[in-house]
Amino acid sequence: MPHSDEESSSKPKPDRPLLKKSKTFSDDTRAPHFPGPLFPAVRRLSVSPTPPPPSETYSVNGDRDWMYPSFLGPHAARNRLTPNNKSNSKASKSLKHEAFRSASMPAISNEGGERRGDLVRRGFEVRESKEEEMKRLAALVPSAASSFSPSSNSSAAHSVAASKSGRFGSCGVVYLLTFTCILAVSYTICLQTKVTKLQEANFNLRRWCNNEDVHKDGIQVLESQSKSPLFSSRITDSRTMALYAVLFSLIMPFASYKYLDYVPRLKKLSKRTMDNKEEVPLKKRVAYTVDVCFSVYPYAKLLALLFATIFLIGFGGLALYAVSDSSFAEALWQSWTFVADSGNHADIIGTRPRIVSVSITSGGMLIFAMMLGLVSDAITERVDSLRKGKSEVIESNHILILGWSDKLGSLLKQLAIANKSIGGGVVVVLAERDKEEMEMDIAKLEFNFMGTSVICRSGSPLILADLKKVSVSKARAIIVLASDENADQSDARALRVVLSLTGVKEGLRGHVVVEMSDLDNEPLVKLVGGELTETVVAHDVIGRLMIQCALQPGLAQIWEDILGFENAEFYIKRWPQMDGLCFRDVLISFPDAIPCGVKVAADGGKIILNPDDSYVLKEGDEILVIAEDDDTYAPGPTPEVCKGVFPKIHDPPKYPEKILFCGWRRDIDDMIMVLEAFLAEGSELWMFNEVPEKERERKLTDGGLDISGLVNIKLVHREGNAVIRRHLESLPLEMFDSILILADESVEDSVVHSDSRSLATLLLIRDIQSKRLPYRDTKSISLRHSGFCHSSWIREMQQASDKSIIISEILDSRTRNLVSVSRISDYVLSNELVSMALAMVAEDKQINRVLEELFAEEGNEMCIKPAEFYLYDQEELCFYDLMIRGRQRQEIVIGYRLASAECAIINPENKAEPRKWSLDDVFVVISLGE
């Protein structure tokens, strides 16, 4: 029974194999060891002496074990890593030792011993096959096995270095093979050439030898030719070398371009240094260098083209010399002819010479195409430079305008008229616009510039290089226009331009006229510019002029005549023959001009308007006159005048007035101060705009106006929109003596919008007045006009404006016709008048002092007076008589307007010719304000 028990115990169960234990574990209760490639050095032995069945064999890649823990994740049955060779050898030795030990053990029974020996042999065979399979897999994937070894990093680095060295070694072999093939082909071609020449020589020798009529001279010649083999061999060697050079020159550029990036790597390998810094490829560096050369050096393209032409001629000549019988000099000449003329290769005989000639001709066509492209680009670039206004202006004594605005058109007109007397001048415009656009806008003016040339250049006045481009240091006058921005930005830009002008190293020959937008910014510009800078505050000038025109209808047309160069304007000149005369005699000494003042040399050049009659001119004094042009007047003999008796009528007293301001201007506080000086006590100023009342008071106070300190006028605030009819109907429009429609601050940056708003307000006011005034007492005439009751001109304007004078601020001169149709009493062309003032100050900066005094609320002013102040009705007098009578009132009579005329005449001709005058006529005078 024990035997049967032993048999039964040794017999394995068919459905469950016995577990195996490792020698490293002595305790059988521990968790079983799972065999696999992750534990290659651990030997596993069976606890039971019974081996597994023969059908259940082990496989390295093989099948999974019968038990696999679930916490290890999915079991990888196939992709197992193979252990290293040392562990494999140790495991195989232990397996062999165990097999031999099992085989040498005595059998318990005959049957059991035979069976055990069979199992041992089978296990040994299985282990042998397993060992061989593991070795084969280890050989196939050495890198995977080595990655789990302790020295995996070092072995990986050595393998990468080995692969790199092998790669470069293979590249070197490829280069060597390529070069060997080139040499072999070249040498073959050379040998073929030699064989061909030898065959030809052999054929010639046979022909000469077989010829019966061979002369001695021919034999001697043949012998003499055969006696120079060294010379012929030298020629052949030179042609062979030329062929080698051609082939090498053809192949090397392509090979260099292809393998250019390997040069830095070869340097690293030669230095045997491991530099991990990222380097730019050599191809990119070469391309960058070429790009920089072409960009920095303007003649780099031409030099490259010249080098390419010389290389093609030399290379082509060398190739022709290698494949033809001509000399090297002749080959170079032929190469040049092929490059210069693409049809010269048609007469070439031979296959190889034709191939070379066609190649040279193709290269020549490419070079000439590149040359034509460069020439075309150069011409196009030059034309574009001229078209865009980048060329330098070579002018002197010209007028330079910096900037662009809507005032430029009228300014150019005035400058052209001013230069008419000298046959025209030169005006240069520098602005940040395209030259073609500026020229097109100037051409749209459709104005005859009468010989004056207008040159446009594109650039910034803030850049010194652009200023030098327009010869700023040689200009006789520089005009800085205000930009189409708000006042502060425009004045800030003008200040920067003045700073740029002061930075010109060559200095400035002429003076600078700066158009300002805000009166508060004027002192800073004068401080920076110094004595050479003259400022014209456009906004302030227009505001003061509007008030003068509102108080004296028709004054706008007078200012247009005086400020513009089309009629009479101001001039200052010294006349030595007038020294020692009193101003009363000087006043009637110019038949073609009217003296208005004196520039006193002893007082630092101060200009005195309307001086006393007793003032005597001294040496160095200059006379201010109103004349047609600076060369159209000269002093003459003093005429005889008759003072006579005239009515001594004093100016009527001032009466309170009611004035309406529609809109809000930036400098409305300054206008209020001017009205405070001109109006009588008890006057009212109605302010109608969209600004809230509290904000108005704050703005007026911030502008420097003391509202509580106003004595003559009272401010009445009304809030509303001037283009809405129901808002205007809430105002007593029929009760105002004057209505001023201002360019509102909110739309002053847009000329078209501002003028449209002003025109709409004007039409609404006129329509409302036309419906209300018939019910008004027509006899109630403003007290201000009672002293002018005999002037039909003023009465007509009052009737046309329905008993109320309306002044509208117009920014665009194109709106002038629309305003004239709307039955307005008077109008102001803002940009037109400012352009005239700028042109006049540009021609003579001293005139700016005259304009400042005439526009100021104190001092002398320009007025319109009725004829009843100087004469009786139908009295016959000459204009000199009227000038003398005007001096009795401390006035200078400069012109008149007849009752039957449409416009006033300033500085009339034939001043000594008498004529009859009517009380309906009016006179334009310069008088001292009260």
Side-chain angles (χ1 to χ4, degrees):
M1 292 303 294
H3 178 71
S4 63
D5 293 336
E6 185 179 357
E7 271 185 335
S8 63
S9 62
S10 63
K11 190 174 181 178
K13 294 181 180 181
D15 54 347
R16 179 174 179 180
L18 295 176
L19 294 176
K20 300 173 185 179
K21 286 189 177 180
S22 173
K23 271 188 175 183
T24 56
F25 299 116
S26 60
D27 190 3
D28 296 341
T29 61
R30 293 190 179 184
H33 176 75
F34 300 99
L38 295 178
F39 306 95
V42 179
R43 186 176 60 180
R44 295 173 297 175
L45 296 178
S46 178
V47 177
S48 176
T50 306
S55 60
E56 297 179 3
T57 59
Y58 291 96
S59 175
V60 178
N61 296 329
D63 305 324
R64 55 170 290 185
D65 297 324
W66 68 275
M67 180 182 293
Y68 188 78
S70 61
F71 65 88
L72 292 177
H75 178 72
R78 296 291 177 186
N79 299 327
R80 291 186 179 180
L81 298 176
T82 307
N84 53 16
N85 295 332
K86 293 182 180 181
S87 61
N88 291 339
S89 61
K90 292 181 180 179
S92 62
K93 288 181 181 180
S94 62
L95 289 173
K96 288 181 182 180
H97 178 70
E98 183 66 25
F100 281 113
R101 191 176 61 135
S102 300
S104 62
M105 290 177 63
I108 299 175
S109 64
N110 295 332
E111 184 178 355
E114 292 176 359
R115 195 158 132 191
R116 185 180 297 276
D118 188 14
L119 290 175
V120 169
R121 285 193 300 271
R122 289 182 181 180
F124 183 75
E125 291 174 1
V126 169
R127 291 181 178 89
E128 289 290 335
S129 62
K130 180 178 180 180
E131 180 182 356
E132 292 176 1
E133 190 171 2
M134 291 175 64
K135 289 181 179 181
R136 185 171 65 255
L137 291 175
L140 290 175
V141 285
S143 60
S146 61
S147 62
F148 291 93
S149 62
S151 60
S152 59
N153 294 333
S154 62
S155 61
H158 287 300
S159 63
V160 172
S163 62
K164 288 185 177 180
S165 61
R167 189 187 310 162
F168 286 109
S170 62
C171 292
V173 172
V174 171
Y175 297 154
L176 183 60
L177 290 176
T178 304
F179 186 70
T180 304
C181 292
I182 294 171
L183 288 180
V185 172
S186 303
Y187 188 65
T188 303
I189 295 172
C190 181
L191 291 178
Q192 184 65 30
T193 305
K194 288 183 179 180
V195 170
T196 303
K197 291 183 178 180
L198 289 174
Q199 288 177 355
E200 291 178 358
N202 189 15
F203 176 75
N204 291 331
L205 287 173
R206 287 181 181 181
R207 190 184 62 173
W208 281 99
C209 293
N210 293 331
N211 191 359
E212 296 179 355
D213 299 332
V214 176
H215 298 284
K216 293 182 179 180
D217 297 336
I219 295 172
Q220 292 177 357
V221 171
L222 185 61
E223 290 177 354
S224 63
Q225 290 178 357
S226 64
K227 287 180 182 179
S228 58
L230 181 61
F231 178 74
S232 61
S233 63
R234 289 180 178 177
I235 295 176
T236 304
D237 293 339
S238 63
R239 296 184 187 279
T240 304
M241 294 300 296
L243 185 61
Y244 290 161
V246 169
L247 294 175
F248 183 77
S249 300
L250 284 174
I251 295 173
M252 279 305 296
F254 298 100
S256 300
Y257 180 77
K258 184 175 182 181
Y259 301 105
L260 198 61
D261 292 338
Y262 292 101
V263 175
R265 301 181 184 178
L266 292 174
K267 290 183 178 179
K268 285 185 180 181
L269 290 177
S270 63
K271 294 180 180 179
R272 296 181 179 179
T273 57
M274 296 298 293
D275 191 3
N276 295 326
K277 293 182 179 179
E278 183 180 357
E279 291 188 358
V280 181
L282 190 57
K283 287 182 183 178
K284 292 186 178 180
R285 283 187 286 175
V286 172
Y288 173 73
T289 304
V290 173
D291 188 14
V292 169
C293 289
F294 284 168
S295 302
V296 174
Y297 303 103
Y299 299 104
K301 295 181 180 179
L302 294 177
L303 293 177
L305 184 62
L306 178 62
F307 175 76
T309 305
I310 295 174
F311 177 77
L312 180 60
I313 294 173
F315 180 78
L318 194 63
L320 286 175
Y321 176 70
V323 299
S324 64
D325 296 334
S326 59
S327 62
F328 183 69
E330 187 67 22
L332 287 176
W333 176 252
Q334 288 183 355
S335 177
W336 159 248
T337 57
F338 295 157
V339 171
D341 190 357
S342 59
N344 285 336
H345 66 283
D347 299 333
I348 298 299
I349 299 174
T351 303
R352 289 179 294 176
R354 285 180 178 177
I355 294 173
V356 175
S357 62
V358 169
S359 302
I360 297 173
T361 302
S362 301
M365 295 172 64
L366 180 62
I367 286 177
F368 271 91
M370 294 171 61
M371 183 180 66
L372 289 176
L374 289 177
V375 173
S376 176
D377 291 343
I379 294 175
T380 304
E381 184 178 357
R382 184 60 180 172
V383 172
D384 291 343
S385 176
L386 295 175
R387 180 175 56 85
K388 294 180 180 180
K390 296 181 179 179
S391 60
E392 184 177 358
V393 176
I394 310 298
E395 295 288 347
S396 60
N397 200 31
H398 59 283
I399 295 179
L400 176 60
I401 301 176
L402 302 179
W404 186 278
S405 68
D406 47 8
K407 307 179 187 66
L408 184 65
S410 56
L411 178 60
L412 291 176
K413 291 180 183 179
Q414 296 300 322
L415 293 176
I417 296 173
N419 293 327
K420 180 182 178 181
S421 60
I422 58 176
V426 177
V427 179
V428 181
V429 180
L430 177 65
E432 297 180 18
R433 296 186 61 192
D434 187 69
K435 178 175 177 288
E436 291 182 343
E437 294 181 0
M438 292 189 286
E439 291 176 347
M440 290 178 61
D441 291 343
I442 293 174
K444 292 178 182 178
L445 297 175
E446 297 180 357
F447 176 76
N448 182 16
F449 288 100
M450 295 170 286
T452 298
S453 301
V454 181
I455 302 174
C456 298
R457 286 293 180 267
S458 179
S460 175
L462 303 177
I463 301 175
L464 291 177
D466 292 340
L467 291 175
K468 292 181 180 179
K469 183 173 62 177
V470 293
S471 300
V472 64
S473 60
K474 299 179 181 178
R476 62 184 175 93
I478 302 171
I479 302 176
V480 181
L481 294 179
S483 58
D484 295 331
E485 299 172 333
N486 59 56
D488 294 333
Q489 292 179 353
S490 177
D491 291 346
R493 184 180 180 277
L495 180 61
R496 293 196 300 268
V497 173
V498 173
L499 285 173
S500 299
L501 293 174
T502 56
V504 178
K505 295 182 179 179
E506 295 81 2
L508 300 178
R509 177 189 300 179
H511 59 283
V512 182
V513 183
V514 184
E515 179 192 359
M516 304 294 297
S517 299
D518 197 340
L519 186 63
D520 296 334
N521 300 326
E522 183 183 16
L524 183 60
V525 175
K526 287 186 175 181
L527 177 64
V528 173
E531 297 180 356
L532 292 178
T533 304
E534 296 291 336
T535 58
V536 176
V537 186
H539 222 59
D540 183 67
V541 168
I542 297 305
R544 294 172 183 271
L545 186 58
M546 288 184 67
I547 293 175
Q548 291 186 10
C549 293
L551 299 178
Q552 302 184 56
L555 196 60
Q557 183 259 326
I558 306 299
W559 273 112
E560 286 185 11
D561 292 342
I562 292 179
L563 291 178
F565 286 95
E566 296 180 356
N567 299 309
E569 54 271 359
F570 290 104
Y571 293 101
I572 298 178
K573 188 181 293 186
R574 167 164 170 72
W575 300 97
Q577 58 268 37
M578 294 288 102
D579 293 345
L581 297 180
C582 61
F583 184 76
R584 180 182 179 281
D585 296 333
V586 173
L587 186 64
I588 57 176
S589 297
F590 291 88
D592 298 319
I594 298 177
C596 301
V598 177
K599 180 181 177 181
V600 182
D603 198 6
K606 181 180 178 181
I607 297 177
I608 301 177
L609 279 175
N610 190 15
D612 294 335
D613 291 340
S614 60
Y615 179 82
V616 179
L617 271 70
K618 302 178 179 60
E619 184 179 359
D621 290 348
E622 300 179 17
I623 301 175
L624 171 67
V625 301
I626 297 179
E628 181 70 21
D629 208 341
D630 57 350
D631 56 351
T632 59
Y633 70 99
T638 303
E640 294 182 1
V641 295
C642 178
K643 180 179 179 181
V645 179
F646 64 95
K648 296 182 179 179
I649 301 177
H650 299 284
D651 291 341
K654 292 181 179 180
Y655 294 95
E657 299 186 30
K658 185 180 290 186
I659 298 177
L660 172 64
F661 279 2
C662 289
W664 183 272
R665 277 172 58 104
R666 183 177 56 256
D667 58 344
I668 197 169
D669 53 330
D670 296 329
M671 298 179 67
I672 294 175
M673 292 299 297
V674 174
L675 282 176
E676 171 71 13
F678 282 147
L679 295 180
E681 186 177 356
S683 301
E684 292 184 0
L685 174 60
W686 289 53
M687 302 176 66
F688 179 71
N689 50 70
E690 297 180 88
V691 182
E693 183 176 352
K694 293 183 179 180
E695 188 175 353
R696 294 182 197 177
E697 295 178 356
R698 181 183 60 81
K699 288 185 176 182
L700 293 175
T701 304
D702 294 342
L705 178 65
D706 185 9
I707 301 177
S708 61
L710 297 177
V711 177
N712 296 332
I713 61 177
K714 175 186 176 182
L715 298 181
V716 180
H717 297 281
R718 290 291 185 272
E719 185 176 348
N721 193 339
V723 295
I724 299 178
R725 185 182 183 91
R726 66 176 183 274
H727 292 178
L728 290 173
E729 288 178 347
S730 62
L731 300 175
L733 298 177
E734 69 278 3
M735 301 298 297
F736 293 108
D737 297 294
S738 300
I739 299 176
L740 276 70
I741 302 176
L742 309 177
D744 200 88
E745 184 181 14
S746 59
V747 294
E748 66 178 356
D749 296 337
S750 176
V751 175
V752 177
H753 192 186
S754 177
D755 287 353
S756 300
R757 185 183 179 90
S758 300
L759 187 58
T761 304
L762 171 65
L763 295 176
L764 289 174
I765 292 176
R766 295 288 296 116
D767 184 59
I768 294 173
Q769 285 182 343
S770 64
K771 293 180 180 180
R772 293 181 179 180
L773 287 175
Y775 301 97
R776 181 183 174 186
D777 186 9
T778 55
K779 295 182 180 180
S780 60
I781 303 175
S782 175
L783 295 175
R784 174 167 59 94
H785 302 301
S786 60
F788 301 93
C789 58
H790 298 287
S791 177
S792 61
W793 182 41
I794 295 179
R795 287 197 304 269
E796 288 177 2
M797 288 193 299
Q798 292 174 353
Q799 293 175 2
S801 60
D802 292 333
K803 312 298 181 181
S804 179
I805 300 173
I806 302 178
I807 306 297
S808 181
E809 182 179 4
I810 303 300
L811 301 179
D812 193 353
S813 59
R814 292 173 294 184
T815 317
R816 179 174 183 175
N817 296 330
L818 298 177
V819 175
S820 62
V821 173
S822 61
R823 294 177 60 198
I824 193 171
S825 65
D826 215 339
Y827 55 89
V828 175
L829 292 177
S830 296
N831 293 342
E832 194 82 20
L833 292 174
V834 172
S835 300
M836 292 177 181
L838 290 173
M840 184 168 290
V841 178
E843 291 294 331
D844 190 355
K845 68 176 184 178
Q846 302 175 103
I847 303 300
N848 196 25
R849 305 289 180 270
V850 180
L851 299 180
E852 288 177 354
E853 182 174 352
L854 291 177
F855 287 143
E857 60 270 17
E858 297 179 356
N860 290 276
E861 59 181 356
M862 197 171 297
C863 303
I864 297 176
K865 298 293 182 71
E868 58 188 15
F869 286 177
Y870 309 98
L871 50 84
Y872 295 101
D873 190 19
Q874 301 299 320
E875 186 176 1
E876 186 174 355
L877 297 170
C878 67
F879 193 76
Y880 283 130
D881 297 335
L882 293 174
M883 295 176 66
I884 294 299
R885 292 185 179 185
R887 293 306 299 167
Q888 302 298 320
R889 299 171 51 88
Q890 294 296 315
E891 298 172 349
I892 299 178
V893 181
I894 63 174
Y896 61 88
R897 175 172 177 171
L898 301 178
S900 59
E902 295 182 357
C903 58
I905 299 176
I906 306 299
N907 184 28
E909 300 178 354
N910 302 322
K911 296 180 178 63
E913 182 180 351
R915 58 170 304 166
K916 289 185 179 181
W917 302 91
S918 170
L919 293 180
D920 293 334
D921 300 333
V922 294
F923 293 94
V924 182
V925 301
I926 296 176
S927 64
L928 184 64
E930 296 179 2

